[in-house]
Amino acid sequence: MYDRLKGFRDFYPGEMSARREVVDTVETAAARYGFREIGTPHLERTQMYVDKSGEEIVEELYAFEDKGGREVALTPELTPTVARMVVAKQQALSKPIKWVSTRPFWRYEQVQQGRFREFYQTNADIFGSSEPEADAEILAFCADALTDLGLTGDDFEFRVSHRDILGGLLRSFDADVDVADAVRAVDKSEKVEREEYLGLLSDAGLSYDQAGEFADLIERGDLDEIAEFGGDDVAAAVENLRNVLAAADDFGAGEFCEVSLTTARGLDYYTGVVFECFDSTGDVSRATFGGGRYDDLIESFGGQPTPAVGVGIGNATLQLLCQRAGVWPEEELATDYYLLTVGDTRGVASDIARDLRAAGNVVEVDVSDRSFGAQMSYADSVNADTVVIVGERDLENGEVTVKDMASGDQTTVPVDDFPGDRDAPTYEDYE
């Protein structure tokens, strides 16, 4: 026996049916906004992640030297890959570029609730627009995806912030502040005690008193006060944030949004609006997903200056939210018909099965030469709605038996009339 690797998961058919339903719902919501599906490689050059995040990132990667002597890594996120793809065909692509994909990623990190070493995300990105409407459309797509899953405003909230507000406020203090380190401290603020948080801000260059003033300012979240305190650059960022929220309101997502300047998103490439989705009840302690604007990344990859905004929706944390809210799909198999054969009836059963499948039904036929009882037990195990018994004796009379598995009721039906001109005939059609 071989043990499964830590941080990697198996998904059996019942689990996969629920996962597929959720992914299909999210992707369908994206398609309604005009996001086009892309496919991306699972292996990239390690240097791409080093250039973006520094040498220390290698410790978090599944990185190795391939047989051609290249340093490569299993992809830990999508943003660098889509940035590379945009740069490769930037002049030929119509703007705005709106892409979506769902796929696995890999990070070698500590396994915990909602976090695995192999994880699945749906990513949606818009390239080529710096307008507030682009940020708002990402929020609106996310809101639609969640409500399509059966969630309501009582279940989740979008905490919306702005990196330029945070950076501008930090630079407004009379101190030599490492803005990136200070923003990472803000990102940790809800996970640590206040004294530790202020200590991290002090380590980034603020005095202890300045750290407290900054922390209080963003915690209050009074945008008028913040704009006045921070000067013109911060005032411009506040106006941009307000414009995004106004657009989100017009797009139907405003009711799910709240300003939360302690939401920072730790990645250095974010440049404007950022947001995270949280369980409103607090039962799911981790952010369900997050995203934001990253206007400088395409240029840093060698492309023309291209504004961009996107989101990554993690399947594992989304599952936690849906399960807490009671809207995660049933993890069970679904079968419309089971064709139970008795004797030498394969030809007739196969004809019926083909007709039913052509109409879009899920149909199983015995492929193991089992007894009547064994076939009936199997039909029950795969949750067959209807069993069609194709037996030699019934066929001598030109009939088959149609059995409703929920009620146990059954009736005989002329074989030429099943399925006949019906796409999905049931017992009720013949009783």
Side-chain angles (χ1 to χ4, degrees), residues 266-325:
L267 296 173
D268 292 345
Y269 58 69
Y270 284 117
T271 59
V273 165
V274 292
F275 76 94
E276 291 181 334
C277 173
F278 276 88
D279 172 13
S280 295
T281 70
D283 289 348
V284 180
S285 58
R286 294 175 52 80
T288 302
F289 56 79
R293 182 163 284 281
Y294 51 100
D295 286 346
D296 299 333
L297 191 63
I298 301 299
E299 188 174 4
S300 74
F301 272 58
Q304 296 299 314
T306 304
V309 61
V311 63
I313 302 176
N315 183 275
T317 47
L318 180 57
Q319 179 174 348
L320 292 175
L321 173 60
C322 289
Q323 287 176 332
R324 197 279 304 156

Side-chain angles (χ1 to χ4, degrees), residues 204-227:
L206 294 175
S207 70
Y208 187 83
D209 288 343
Q210 289 172 332
E213 186 177 7
F214 170 76
D216 291 341
L217 190 63
I218 63 172
E219 187 174 340
R220 286 195 298 273
D222 184 323
L223 294 181
D224 289 331
E225 178 188 16
I226 285 168

Side-chain angles (χ1 to χ4, degrees), residues 18-19 22 38 44 89 99 107 158 180 221 248 270 348 375 399:
R19 287 167 57 82
V22 169
I38 59 170
E44 294 276 13
K89 293 192 175 183
W99 286 347
R107 281 184 181 269
F158 296 153
Y270 284 117
V348 175
Q375 289 186 67
E399 297 176 330

Side-chain angles (χ1 to χ4, degrees), residues 87-104:
V87 171
K89 293 192 175 183
Q90 191 163 18
Q91 300 306 316
L93 295 168
S94 297
K95 313 299 190 300
I97 304 160
K98 298 169 70 173
W99 286 347
V100 65
S101 72
T102 302
R103 47 153 295 182

